[in-house]
Amino acid sequence: MTLAADLISKPLREKAATGGRYDYQTMWGLALLFQQHGAQDDYAIVFEFHDDVILLDSAIEPTTARFYQVKSKATNGGWTLTSLLKREKVKTETGTNEKPSYVDKMFDNVDKFADAVLSVDFVSNQLCGFNTNGTFRLKECETADFEKVIKSVQEAYPSATKAQIGLLGFQHTNLSLGDVVSHTKGKLQTFITENLGEVWFSPDAVYQAIVEECRRKANFSGNIVSLQQSIKDKGLTKANVQEWLDAISNNSRSPEWSEIAPHLTYPFSEERLVSREYGVYRTVALNSADRAVHRVRMAITANLAPVVNDASLGLTQMVEAVFVQVEEAGQKYLSPFSPARLRAMIIYEIYAN
């Protein structure tokens, strides 16, 4: 079977992360996405699907995968080998069972997906106490420690080979648990500057739009029937990131309302409504996941050329000429719909395009 088929057919493990820890995993996945965007021709990062984060080498037909368990600790003190290998006992209606250890869960991905697995990493904000390096393969530890790992894994997976167990690793992340928002926002700003140069954008608005999309995908709990649907509902691809960058680039060309107002001839009451909607839309336009708004934007863009190329038209005349063409689409897709909201969108797109 292909990796795509295996990812759908193999059973998922139960997930336990909630609240702040769950959000931390999502923010780490976003940071991983920033790293991958310039490093690979194609990729897909999928949240909460077989593991906290999966990195696939293609969004269309992946052949390899990297799995990440992302576990944060608020208290100081590194991870010990004992803590990674420990199997907690839990009481059930039928007796006492053992929960898989962290390492068991890591190797479960190797067992399921075999040769397609490039690595399985345990990621944490705390260092590992049995290796001084921040990132390493478990096979790089002291021989006695790696032998303990082999023995433990083979207790749960008797057919596990030393080479397979060697795919397991540890990563220390500098993503702050105490101030994950500021840290992620800083990584986002650096990413945008590296890809677009010195463009104007609202860090808060961009962060809100992108992070909310990541959270929505990480929280998706609907049925999955194909890998493509899984990537669409729970993942992010290089194409998605390019949509973000394009939206930010367009947004940087939209001027402040004070520069626009002198070119309009609407009555004061209407101009006040449009200006308010314009301020709101500058943030909304960054959210590429809003498909209803996207449909209206496409309708506006399709009708812009004739009016913006007509040197005889003023800005108000341009807006009204496009308004007539797209009002039906606006009423169909925008909720709530208002003429002021649609006019604000048209003004934004005139400058963005």
Side-chain angles (χ1 to χ4, degrees), residues 200 249-256 260 278 282 348 351-352:
W200 177 91
S249 181
N250 290 340
N251 198 269
S252 71
R253 294 195 292 270
S254 62
E256 297 293 331
I260 296 171
Y278 180 80
R282 291 184 84 190
Y348 177 95
Y351 281 95

mmCIF file of all heavy atoms in Angstrom, residues 200 249-256 260 278 282 348 351-352:
data_model
loop_
_atom_site.group_PDB
_atom_site.id
_atom_site.type_symbol
_atom_site.label_atom_id
_atom_site.label_comp_id
_atom_site.label_asym_id
_atom_site.label_seq_id
_atom_site.Cartn_x
_atom_site.Cartn_y
_atom_site.Cartn_z
ATOM 1 N N TRP A 200 4.698 46.713 4.733
ATOM 2 C CA TRP A 200 3.855 47.082 5.871
ATOM 3 C C TRP A 200 2.839 45.976 6.131
ATOM 4 O O TRP A 200 2.229 45.438 5.199
ATOM 5 C CB TRP A 200 3.088 48.369 5.594
ATOM 6 C CG TRP A 200 2.166 48.712 6.737
ATOM 7 C CD1 TRP A 200 2.438 49.473 7.814
ATOM 8 C CD2 TRP A 200 0.809 48.231 6.918
ATOM 9 N NE1 TRP A 200 1.358 49.500 8.666
ATOM 10 C CE2 TRP A 200 0.350 48.756 8.155
ATOM 11 C CE3 TRP A 200 -0.032 47.408 6.184
ATOM 12 C CZ2 TRP A 200 -0.924 48.494 8.646
ATOM 13 C CZ3 TRP A 200 -1.295 47.135 6.675
ATOM 14 C CH2 TRP A 200 -1.735 47.683 7.891
ATOM 15 N N SER A 249 1.009 40.618 1.140
ATOM 16 C CA SER A 249 1.563 41.514 0.133
ATOM 17 C C SER A 249 0.493 42.462 -0.403
ATOM 18 O O SER A 249 0.718 43.668 -0.545
ATOM 19 C CB SER A 249 2.159 40.687 -1.012
ATOM 20 O OG SER A 249 2.724 41.531 -1.993
ATOM 21 N N ASN A 250 -0.695 41.915 -0.681
ATOM 22 C CA ASN A 250 -1.805 42.755 -1.144
ATOM 23 C C ASN A 250 -2.217 43.748 -0.070
ATOM 24 O O ASN A 250 -2.501 44.916 -0.351
ATOM 25 C CB ASN A 250 -3.005 41.886 -1.524
ATOM 26 C CG ASN A 250 -2.760 41.087 -2.780
ATOM 27 O OD1 ASN A 250 -1.885 41.404 -3.576
ATOM 28 N ND2 ASN A 250 -3.524 40.018 -2.964
ATOM 29 N N ASN A 251 -2.252 43.271 1.171
ATOM 30 C CA ASN A 251 -2.663 44.117 2.286
ATOM 31 C C ASN A 251 -1.715 45.300 2.464
ATOM 32 O O ASN A 251 -2.129 46.399 2.838
ATOM 33 C CB ASN A 251 -2.709 43.279 3.564
ATOM 34 C CG ASN A 251 -3.518 43.933 4.665
ATOM 35 O OD1 ASN A 251 -2.978 44.667 5.480
ATOM 36 N ND2 ASN A 251 -4.812 43.665 4.686
ATOM 37 N N SER A 252 -0.438 45.065 2.173
ATOM 38 C CA SER A 252 0.558 46.131 2.351
ATOM 39 C C SER A 252 0.336 47.276 1.373
ATOM 40 O O SER A 252 0.810 48.395 1.596
ATOM 41 C CB SER A 252 1.973 45.570 2.188
ATOM 42 O OG SER A 252 2.230 45.228 0.830
ATOM 43 N N ARG A 253 -0.384 46.984 0.267
ATOM 44 C CA ARG A 253 -0.649 48.030 -0.723
ATOM 45 C C ARG A 253 -1.934 48.804 -0.437
ATOM 46 O O ARG A 253 -2.252 49.759 -1.143
ATOM 47 C CB ARG A 253 -0.723 47.391 -2.113
ATOM 48 C CG ARG A 253 0.599 46.808 -2.586
ATOM 49 C CD ARG A 253 0.583 46.525 -4.087
ATOM 50 N NE ARG A 253 -0.316 45.445 -4.440
ATOM 51 C CZ ARG A 253 0.045 44.158 -4.488
ATOM 52 N NH1 ARG A 253 1.287 43.821 -4.185
ATOM 53 N NH2 ARG A 253 -0.818 43.231 -4.831
ATOM 54 N N SER A 254 -2.689 48.385 0.569
ATOM 55 C CA SER A 254 -3.937 49.093 0.894
ATOM 56 C C SER A 254 -3.633 50.256 1.833
ATOM 57 O O SER A 254 -3.147 50.060 2.937
ATOM 58 C CB SER A 254 -4.934 48.133 1.547
ATOM 59 O OG SER A 254 -4.416 47.634 2.762
ATOM 60 N N PRO A 255 -3.899 51.474 1.417
ATOM 61 C CA PRO A 255 -3.535 52.649 2.226
ATOM 62 C C PRO A 255 -4.464 52.856 3.421
ATOM 63 O O PRO A 255 -5.515 52.219 3.532
ATOM 64 C CB PRO A 255 -3.669 53.797 1.232
ATOM 65 C CG PRO A 255 -4.716 53.331 0.273
ATOM 66 C CD PRO A 255 -4.530 51.838 0.146
ATOM 67 N N GLU A 256 -4.058 53.738 4.307
ATOM 68 C CA GLU A 256 -4.928 54.145 5.405
ATOM 69 C C GLU A 256 -6.137 54.889 4.840
ATOM 70 O O GLU A 256 -6.086 55.479 3.760
ATOM 71 C CB GLU A 256 -4.168 55.046 6.387
ATOM 72 C CG GLU A 256 -2.989 54.392 7.075
ATOM 73 C CD GLU A 256 -3.422 53.284 8.012
ATOM 74 O OE1 GLU A 256 -4.547 53.362 8.549
ATOM 75 O OE2 GLU A 256 -2.630 52.339 8.196
ATOM 76 N N ILE A 260 -7.582 57.613 1.390
ATOM 77 C CA ILE A 260 -8.651 57.247 0.464
ATOM 78 C C ILE A 260 -9.778 58.266 0.464
ATOM 79 O O ILE A 260 -10.317 58.631 -0.596
ATOM 80 C CB ILE A 260 -9.202 55.851 0.834
ATOM 81 C CG1 ILE A 260 -8.113 54.793 0.665
ATOM 82 C CG2 ILE A 260 -10.429 55.500 -0.002
ATOM 83 C CD1 ILE A 260 -8.493 53.437 1.202
ATOM 84 N N TYR A 278 -14.074 49.231 6.020
ATOM 85 C CA TYR A 278 -12.750 49.115 5.415
ATOM 86 C C TYR A 278 -11.719 48.717 6.481
ATOM 87 O O TYR A 278 -10.865 47.858 6.247
ATOM 88 C CB TYR A 278 -12.353 50.441 4.771
ATOM 89 C CG TYR A 278 -10.991 50.450 4.113
ATOM 90 C CD1 TYR A 278 -10.798 49.923 2.846
ATOM 91 C CD2 TYR A 278 -9.884 51.000 4.776
ATOM 92 C CE1 TYR A 278 -9.539 49.936 2.236
ATOM 93 C CE2 TYR A 278 -8.634 51.016 4.181
ATOM 94 C CZ TYR A 278 -8.457 50.480 2.920
ATOM 95 O OH TYR A 278 -7.210 50.498 2.321
ATOM 96 N N ARG A 282 -9.586 45.045 6.298
ATOM 97 C CA ARG A 282 -8.128 44.926 6.167
ATOM 98 C C ARG A 282 -7.609 43.735 6.972
ATOM 99 O O ARG A 282 -6.592 43.141 6.626
ATOM 100 C CB ARG A 282 -7.434 46.209 6.613
ATOM 101 C CG ARG A 282 -7.660 47.379 5.687
ATOM 102 C CD ARG A 282 -6.877 48.590 6.140
ATOM 103 N NE ARG A 282 -5.507 48.565 5.660
ATOM 104 C CZ ARG A 282 -4.559 49.414 6.063
ATOM 105 N NH1 ARG A 282 -4.847 50.323 6.997
ATOM 106 N NH2 ARG A 282 -3.339 49.351 5.580
ATOM 107 N N TYR A 348 -10.755 48.236 -1.247
ATOM 108 C CA TYR A 348 -9.537 47.505 -0.857
ATOM 109 C C TYR A 348 -8.934 46.805 -2.071
ATOM 110 O O TYR A 348 -7.730 46.893 -2.312
ATOM 111 C CB TYR A 348 -9.897 46.471 0.220
ATOM 112 C CG TYR A 348 -8.724 45.598 0.651
ATOM 113 C CD1 TYR A 348 -7.971 45.912 1.764
ATOM 114 C CD2 TYR A 348 -8.397 44.453 -0.062
ATOM 115 C CE1 TYR A 348 -6.902 45.124 2.161
ATOM 116 C CE2 TYR A 348 -7.337 43.637 0.318
ATOM 117 C CZ TYR A 348 -6.594 43.977 1.435
ATOM 118 O OH TYR A 348 -5.539 43.195 1.824
ATOM 119 N N TYR A 351 -7.087 48.993 -4.690
ATOM 120 C CA TYR A 351 -5.716 49.360 -4.324
ATOM 121 C C TYR A 351 -4.815 48.130 -4.277
ATOM 122 O O TYR A 351 -3.641 48.202 -4.653
ATOM 123 C CB TYR A 351 -5.711 50.068 -2.970
ATOM 124 C CG TYR A 351 -6.134 51.516 -3.041
ATOM 125 C CD1 TYR A 351 -7.445 51.886 -2.803
ATOM 126 C CD2 TYR A 351 -5.216 52.495 -3.370
ATOM 127 C CE1 TYR A 351 -7.843 53.207 -2.869
ATOM 128 C CE2 TYR A 351 -5.594 53.834 -3.445
ATOM 129 C CZ TYR A 351 -6.902 54.180 -3.204
ATOM 130 O OH TYR A 351 -7.276 55.505 -3.272
ATOM 131 N N ALA A 352 -5.335 46.984 -3.828
ATOM 132 C CA ALA A 352 -4.504 45.784 -3.688
ATOM 133 C C ALA A 352 -4.074 45.228 -5.021
ATOM 134 O O ALA A 352 -3.014 44.605 -5.143
ATOM 135 C CB ALA A 352 -5.269 44.713 -2.892
#
